[in-house]
Amino acid sequence: MCTPGMSKSSPAATEAAPQPTSMPRIGDPAPDFRAMTTHGELTFREWAGGKWTLLFSHPADFTPVCSTELTELAKRNAEFEARNFKLIGVSIDSIHSHLAWVENLTKILGVELPYPLIADTDKKVAQLYGMMHPGESATVTVRALFFIDPKGTIRAIIYYPLNVGRNIDEVLRVVDALQTTDANACACPVNWKKGDKVIVPPPKSMKEVKARKELAKQPGHEQLDFYLTKKSL
Ligand code: BEZ
């Protein structure tokens, strides 16, 4: 366990020395690693086993916001599994701390974590994935989420600061949007949720503009202009 920094103005945050870190980006291959977890030692890509994965960091064990987030993810694990997603958490706490916290969460909240937690005491994973943001905290990871597809490509990244818990509905919305756009060669508009109309990619030639006008006459299509067409799936 470690004492997390609570705000940007804490001395630890302002005196942070820059640390070597990589910041993987959307479209990059997800860095592979070997790590100790609450489910035993594993190699990340091997563990993923060709499924989608959500790799998320939490700042520290035995902290209130993290307790709400990790138990909510546990309660909704079946919703991720139904989407072919595996969850894996990481913090820089020790395996002993993780094991004690997992037991404590079951005791106080009645929730068992079905997914592994990585004990990243040497900050290897945190550095590989750019989860240390020294301006926010010199000592612990921020709340990061990496959405990784079955080919091992990073498809979306979300970061939250220490004092804001994540919205799991939004995390699942991103999962649905990624899988829907992959399956249907489309895009998702603002506030899209599963079942809503999707965006048909804009035409790239006059020929396609003409074809798009015809397409828009089909049932389930809504055309506001040649570049803005929505359709039901
Ligand atoms: C929390 O999970 O409550 C927390 C963790 C680190 C810093 C601030 C809050």
Side-chain angles (χ1 to χ4, degrees), residues 57-59 90-92 126 131-133 137 139-143 162:
S57 56
H58 68 275
V90 56
S91 79
I92 60 170
M131 293 166 170
M132 301 296 298
H133 294 203
S137 168
T139 52
V140 298
T141 58
V142 294
R143 302 178 194 280
L162 299 191

Side-chain angles (χ1 to χ4, degrees), residues 4-6 59-60 63-67 69 140 143 162-163:
M6 291 296 289
T63 53
V65 178
C66 298
S67 298
E69 288 185 319
V140 298
R143 302 178 194 280
L162 299 191
N163 54 7

